[in-house]
Amino acid sequence: MQSRLTGLLVIGALLASACGTQLDEEEVAAHAMQQASLGRADDAPATDGEATTVGGPAPVAVPSEATVAGPATTTVVDAPATGSPTGSSTATGPGTTSTAPTDAPTTPGGSAVPPPAAVVDTRSMPPGGNGGATDVGVYEDRIVIYNVADRTGAVPGLFQDAQEATQAYILKFLSEQGTVYGRTIELVNRDSKLSTQENRAAYLDACNGAFAGVGSMSAFEQGAAEPIRSCGLPDIRTSAVTLELQTEPWVRSTLALTPGLVGMSEWGYLADTFGDIITDAAFLYIDGATTHWNTTQVIEATERHRGYEWDAHIAIALSEVNYASIIQQLKDQDIRLVAFQGAYQQAVRLARTMRQQNYQPDVFMLQANTYIPDMITEGGEVMEGFTLVSVTGSLLEEGNPELTEYATWLARVNPRARPTGLGQLGWGAAKMFVEAITAIGPNLTRQGLLDHINANYTAYGADGLFPEQNIATQHPASCVIILDVTAEAFVRRAPATGYICGEVGDIRDQ
């Protein structure tokens, strides 16, 4: 998946596999001019009500606006930093409130062919009403949810794709279903601006006005931990990337991650395929507290479970633009496997420096956040022949039906956007939320939502969009696709179809 994770879309597990590089907040602020080396392919900042252009070609065919079924409407509030829900079921944003379709599906009751009395129309107000305000953020006519993502700041648009994907699914819901038991969904978008304090402020507002967080993604999400815990707010995230939120009981992510559990599929593939190169290995990563923590977990897990010997682990300062000394060190140590955790632009620069210094490892291993068409355009030629990418979701080139659905509705939110790995997870978070509140019924409570997810979502893949995740326990899935990088395209290397699903390395007793 991708993303700028994308994601994916891990900082270690997400950032090294799905979303891109995350740094100390102070480092990001100090090096704002380096933003082009991270995150999305575009440079223009995202602003409330205005989406950012996503660069690169579109491997997935995105339908034109005229081909998308349903009205182009949604209930969205682009809230300012001090904002809170408006208290209205309509709001200014990408559209206005949609109307429910006239043909409502039915949900079977207890028998295979239920009698009419057992049929429940989940898109209509039940006889006698839906209970009105059953919990914070739940009203007779609407359910308020928050999405908090890094859209502006030192790295403009960093996790805008997760927010847009969440919005795309809510648009699909409003256009096709309209309401759940008479309640529409009001999505409040907040910009966390690569800031711990902005995360905290947004989630303090969510505590007072939202039923749940849905699809959020932020580098400095730890600011949200205390508000989430203090008010008991279910937070169904695109992914949790910090220790604070990975261990928070009220948080569930569509990319399941638990500290001390490391997906080993790509590392097992390298060991089984390339043999002893794993004993002459180096791990490079963009310096920062979170990247250091996640890289350390991968190093410990691979050494313990697969016999890796990391002869060097090198933190690269964000401000560093000359990689010559780093490559010379790898060359002097006869490093045969180079793993890298960072943005695709930095990976291209590393590969180009390798070529300039007449050094080529057997394998240059990249994570899913580099699975972006722009990397092929900018560096495919210098990377061809020795660069692999580990991807954790559906491939854009293969026409997955749910991915096509995501692309269709994303085009209604932002015609310039393209599906990403992080976006797949954000779409999945919104889809899971809607499925859960529909199954729960009219009497919605925050605790009831968390209990339902814990009881029912132990193998969730958003209808085949990504490998099934144990949302309830947040146990990593450890399923990947390995891609070759060529001058013209990403090419599936292994497996021939589906995913490689392997061991999860447990280092929690160390």
Side-chain angles (χ1 to χ4, degrees):
M1 255 171 288
Q2 90 84 161
S3 65
R4 315 295 181 258
L5 162 152
T6 190
L8 148 163
L9 51 193
V10 211
I11 302 184
L14 170 68
L15 296 179
S17 131
C19 68
T21 303
Q22 307 306 336
L23 306 163
D24 290 332
E25 191 169 347
E26 295 81 3
E27 292 176 301
V28 172
H31 299 295
M33 295 305 294
Q34 297 292 329
Q35 63 86 23
S37 69
L38 286 173
R40 302 168 69 93
D42 47 81
D43 297 324
T47 56
D48 287 343
E50 180 178 353
T52 306
T53 303
V54 177
V60 173
V62 179
S64 65
E65 187 167 318
T67 67
V68 182
T73 55
T74 184
T75 303
V76 176
V77 179
D78 269 328
T82 57
S84 59
T86 62
S88 168
S89 61
T90 61
T92 304
T96 56
T97 307
S98 69
T99 56
T102 55
D103 295 326
T106 57
T107 301
S111 61
V113 182
V119 175
V120 177
D121 181 358
T122 63
R123 295 187 294 184
S124 300
M125 185 85 72
N130 59 19
T134 59
D135 207 333
V136 177
V138 180
Y139 305 89
E140 182 180 52
D141 64 342
R142 70 193 184 280
I143 302 164
V144 180
I145 61 175
Y146 265 47
N147 178 284
V148 182
D150 295 330
R151 290 169 51 190
T152 64
V155 187
L158 182 59
F159 296 134
Q160 184 177 327
D161 45 1
Q163 190 166 92
E164 289 178 343
T166 304
Q167 187 173 336
Y169 190 85
I170 298 304
L171 172 59
K172 170 183 164 66
F173 159 77
L174 292 171
S175 298
E176 294 182 348
Q177 293 179 245
T179 70
V180 178
Y181 303 108
R183 297 183 179 110
T184 189
I185 295 177
E186 181 177 305
L187 171 62
V188 178
N189 283 336
R190 289 286 294 266
D191 180 5
S192 43
K193 302 179 183 178
L194 278 165
S195 166
T196 301
Q197 289 306 314
E198 292 289 346
N199 268 280
R200 176 176 170 78
Y203 273 89
L204 284 172
D205 283 353
C207 274
N208 295 324
F211 175 59
V214 178
S216 296
M217 181 78 194
S218 180
F220 303 108
E221 62 186 17
Q222 59 265 45
E226 190 277 329
I228 288 171
R229 182 167 53 256
S230 66
C231 73
L233 178 74
D235 192 35
I236 305 169
R237 300 185 73 79
T238 291
S239 184
V241 300
T242 62
L243 179 65
E244 290 85 350
L245 261 63
Q246 286 184 18
T247 56
E248 172 52 54
W250 285 93
V251 171
R252 295 291 179 269
S253 298
T254 44
L255 182 67
L257 297 171
T258 293
L261 296 179
V262 179
M264 301 288 289
S265 294
E266 63 263 56
W267 310 109
Y269 172 81
L270 292 179
D272 295 339
T273 305
F274 296 97
D276 61 1
I277 72 167
I278 68 171
T279 63
D280 296 304
F283 212 125
L284 313 183
Y285 61 96
I286 299 303
D287 198 12
T290 306
T291 48
H292 177 76
W293 172 58
N294 283 280
T295 299
T296 298
Q297 289 199 96
V298 172
I299 288 171
E300 290 181 4
T302 52
E303 287 179 344
R304 178 175 179 182
H305 292 275
R306 290 307 306 246
Y308 276 69
E309 295 178 15
W310 298 96
D311 297 330
H313 9 113
I314 303 172
I316 304 174
L318 177 61
S319 57
E320 183 62 67
V321 294
N322 186 349
Y323 296 160
S325 62
I326 296 169
I327 300 306
Q328 187 61 51
Q329 180 180 342
L330 302 179
K331 187 175 181 179
D332 291 343
Q333 292 183 254
D334 294 323
I335 298 297
R336 300 174 61 195
L337 165 63
V338 178
F340 176 63
Q341 181 182 337
Y344 84 86
Q345 295 94 334
Q346 296 156 332
V348 170
R349 191 180 305 147
L350 282 166
R352 188 167 287 121
T353 307
M354 291 175 186
R355 294 286 194 186
Q356 291 168 352
Q357 297 192 198
N358 197 29
Y359 164 73
Q360 181 176 306
D362 292 42
V363 173
F364 184 32
M365 188 70 205
L366 306 179
Q367 303 302 317
N369 60 293
T370 62
Y371 176 49
I372 301 170
D374 286 13
M375 189 171 82
I376 299 297
T377 302
E378 297 178 24
E381 187 173 353
V382 298
M383 304 175 106
E384 185 171 24
F386 67 105
T387 305
L388 304 182
V389 178
S390 171
V391 179
T392 53
S394 296
L395 298 183
L396 307 181
E397 296 86 354
E398 294 184 349
N400 176 287
E402 190 71 18
L403 183 57
T404 301
E405 187 84 346
Y406 157 39
T408 298
W409 291 99
L410 179 63
R412 298 298 293 271
V413 171
N414 178 4
R416 299 172 294 175
R418 297 294 178 261
T420 69
L422 267 187
Q424 291 181 42
L425 296 169
W427 174 274
K431 184 182 180 78
M432 180 170 65
F433 172 76
V434 170
E435 289 176 355
I437 62 173
T438 301
I440 290 169
N443 186 27
L444 290 178
T445 65
R446 287 172 166 179
Q447 184 67 57
L449 174 61
L450 182 66
D451 291 345
H452 179 84
I453 289 172
N454 288 342
N456 294 280
Y457 288 88
T458 57
Y460 177 69
D463 289 331
L465 186 58
F466 44 78
E468 289 186 344
Q469 308 282 318
N470 191 328
I471 308 298
T473 67
Q474 291 291 284
H475 192 282
S478 191
C479 293
V480 300
I481 301 168
I482 305 297
L483 304 179
D484 279 309
V485 174
T486 74
E488 283 121 22
F490 294 101
V491 178
R492 179 188 273 266
R493 178 188 180 98
T497 60
Y499 298 86
I500 299 170
C501 294
E503 177 184 11
V504 174
D506 190 344
I507 58 172
R508 289 176 296 183
D509 61 347
Q510 291 191 343

